[in-house]
Amino acid sequence: MSAADAVTDSLQNLRAQFAGVREGRPADYIPQLALADPDAFGLALVSMDGHRYSAGEAEVPFTLQSVSKPFIYALALSLLGLDEVSRWVGAEPSGEAFNAISLEPGTGRPANAMVNAGAIVTTALIPDAPGDDAFRRILHCLGRFAGRELDVDEEVFRSESVTGDRNRALAYLIRSTGTMPVDPVLAVDRYFRQCAIRVTALDLATMAATLAYGGVNPVTGEQVVSAEVAARVLAVMATCGMYDGSGDWLLRVGLPAKSGVSGGLIAVGPARFGVATYSPPLDSTGGSVRGHAALETMSRRYGLHLMLNPALPGSTVTLVTTADDLPSAPSAGHERVLHEQVGVVVAQGSIDFTAAERVLYALDESGPDGGPVVLDLHDVTSVDSVALAMLLTGLARLVNDGRRAAVVDPNGLLGAMELVRERTGQDLPRHATRVEAVEGSARALAGEG
Ligand code: GLU
């Protein structure tokens, strides 16, 4: 038993809670899918550190079906860019069923890449490459998301091929509007193959976690798509991933998600986790009944709704004070009076846009008006590029307002600070320790610095 088994326990509890649900039936419009075991129920979760947790039938193989769609959309965005992909496929929720004739009046573009019409076009957009045909690229890309080589379930592929008239009809219809980039037969064949790629719930959780982790597979460490592409895919999953149930899903569960008719379901907690379930019986929107119930409960139980941010993550500014309050301050005399004039702001953790705003506000609040200020970044672990520009601009403003600013930056997080020099004509004093920085400021006040 390890402590992290508590995470596995929570998946097992969800499984136990919903395993007995008997509603729904496996899809049968693709005859091979009707053969799935209706009792199979697997759950898996992958963290941003690549830790994998699972319960039940998490290693039972099944076909991706529509869960392939966000990943092929990611591949298309990576290869062609958003503008080109958007010429062919929209990004508006259709509010319609997965196999609807969902084409925009006027342009004939499918509404989005999560419904069949849009997915078939998206698949058709993937170009062949020298020595690598489009399908091999698709298979390879999905494998990088999963962190292992995947293969096709030929029986499911054949089963959909011989019965998939509606998708074929959709493809012809799309060609008639002028928005089908390749031959419709070829497009649908490739799409059926992509839907028949075999995965497990654990694979799906890894794929979802890759989208959560800015396009980096947290298990293999490979950058599969860019962070920008991953964010865009999540946006479309959030609004369109659950077909005509997308609005209700976002309302209740609050996580970008994608369902498939074989019973797979993924959900993504951006920068937090990827989760997947497998259970073949479906509801009327073509989503897994148990998967839906389990993820809805999980979101509520663990407070995972994307719009729910009750507490700010960790505090950035740990201390705003004057130097006389520090343990190192002299106990009396002129020295102490000088220390009373020096403002001190201590920050910690990783600094992004929101955290930088807090640091800048604290600098303004610190110490007496116009007095020198020390910004201590000793406990700061990282400063992103946006925050860096904000901090440097803020420090330059302080200096231009006549305040003396010094930084404790033993790890050189503020870089060469050219921006400050450019804007103020001087370098900021940089120190290895807070005591040194405060002493420097006090000496400057005394006219010795
Ligand atoms: N291959 C299936 C179809 O095109 C996928 C549908 C789904 O999983 O929602 O009908």
Side-chain angles (χ1 to χ4, degrees):
M1 267 288 164
S2 71
D5 284 338
V7 181
T8 307
D9 285 348
S10 57
L11 295 180
Q12 263 157 0
N13 288 342
L14 287 166
R15 187 179 187 281
Q17 187 175 350
F18 296 105
V21 171
R22 290 279 159 253
E23 279 117 65
R25 345 186 241 114
D28 56 7
Y29 76 99
I30 299 172
Q32 196 67 20
L33 295 185
L35 305 179
D37 173 8
D39 293 328
F41 186 17
L43 298 98
L45 182 142
V46 173
S47 75
M48 299 298 83
D49 302 308
H51 304 153
R52 291 148 54 96
Y53 302 93
S54 63
E57 284 72 29
E59 295 190 63
V60 167
F62 58 94
T63 54
L64 266 174
Q65 299 303 330
S66 285
V67 183
S68 61
K69 291 170 181 172
F71 301 99
I72 304 310
Y73 187 54
L75 177 60
L77 289 175
S78 301
L79 294 175
L80 306 171
L82 180 61
D83 290 344
E84 177 60 11
V85 173
S86 301
R87 278 201 323 119
W88 300 89
V89 193
E92 291 303 331
S94 67
E96 291 182 301
F98 69 97
N99 57 4
I101 304 172
S102 174
L103 306 178
E104 195 176 69
T107 66
R109 275 187 328 171
N112 64 69
M114 301 298 117
V115 293
N116 287 6
I120 294 168
V121 172
T122 307
T123 299
L125 282 174
I126 308 299
D128 290 323
D132 216 4
D133 68 22
F135 183 72
R136 292 235 328 245
R137 291 181 97 176
I138 287 173
L139 186 64
H140 182 64
C141 173
L142 291 168
R144 291 169 71 207
F145 272 109
R148 70 178 183 99
E149 221 173 282
L150 302 175
D151 64 359
V152 172
D153 183 327
E154 293 294 339
E155 286 184 81
V156 172
F157 166 67
R158 266 195 301 278
S159 184
E160 184 162 21
S161 271
V162 296
T163 54
D165 289 335
R166 191 178 170 95
N167 280 325
R168 225 168 259 120
L170 264 178
Y172 275 104
L173 202 62
I174 297 166
R175 184 173 63 171
S176 76
T177 69
T179 50
M180 176 56 77
V182 301
D183 174 64
V185 173
L186 185 73
V188 170
D189 182 81
R190 213 182 270 164
Y191 167 76
F192 288 158
R193 253 182 197 286
Q194 151 198 327
C195 287
I197 291 171
R198 230 185 316 235
V199 290
T200 66
L202 259 169
D203 291 328
L204 283 190
T206 308
M207 296 170 80
T210 303
L211 290 177
Y213 199 32
V216 176
N217 182 321
V219 178
T220 64
E222 191 186 355
Q223 181 97 47
V224 182
V225 292
S226 69
E228 196 180 41
V229 163
R232 289 186 163 141
V233 171
L234 291 178
V236 175
M237 283 169 68
T239 51
C240 314
M242 300 298 278
Y243 302 131
D244 38 338
S246 295
D248 197 60
W249 174 275
L250 191 58
L251 179 69
R252 290 172 199 278
V253 186
L255 296 170
K258 187 71 204 84
S259 63
V261 289
S262 52
L265 176 59
I266 57 169
V268 176
R272 297 160 114 185
F273 60 85
V275 64
T277 58
Y278 170 58
S279 166
L282 305 182
D283 61 22
S284 58
T285 64
S288 166
V289 175
R290 290 192 199 109
H292 191 132
L295 292 187
E296 183 171 341
T297 302
M298 182 177 170
S299 172
R300 204 172 337 107
R301 193 171 287 166
Y302 302 113
L304 305 177
H305 198 296
L306 209 55
M307 313 297 173
L308 182 73
N309 282 303
L312 293 166
S315 63
T316 306
V317 175
T318 52
L319 188 64
V320 184
T321 188
T322 46
D324 58 311
D325 266 348
L326 301 175
S328 57
S331 53
H334 179 60
E335 277 287 290
R336 183 161 183 97
V337 175
L338 288 178
H339 277 61
E340 280 166 15
Q341 313 296 309
V342 180
V344 175
V345 172
V346 182
Q348 69 170 8
S350 62
I351 312 290
D352 61 4
F353 170 83
T354 333
E357 183 277 333
R358 291 194 199 128
V359 173
L360 296 176
Y361 196 91
L363 286 172
D364 285 340
E365 299 275 281
S366 66
D369 267 357
V373 62
V374 169
L375 173 59
D376 184 350
L377 302 176
H378 181 273
D379 293 332
V380 167
T381 47
S382 66
V383 178
D384 74 16
S385 57
V386 173
L388 179 63
M390 286 171 71
L391 290 182
L392 295 180
T393 307
L395 288 166
R397 278 175 167 275
L398 283 183
V399 173
N400 286 336
D401 279 353
R403 288 189 82 176
R404 179 187 192 274
V407 291
V408 180
D409 184 15
N411 302 315
L413 292 168
L414 294 189
M417 293 199 274
E418 286 106 342
L419 197 131
V420 175
R421 199 174 316 120
E422 245 168 59
R423 300 210 177 157
T424 65
Q426 51 181 291
D427 285 323
L428 289 189
R430 193 195 304 237
H431 302 273
T433 67
R434 193 188 305 169
V435 173
E436 237 180 77
V438 167
E439 293 306 326
S441 300
R443 270 200 310 276
L445 268 182
E448 306 159 18

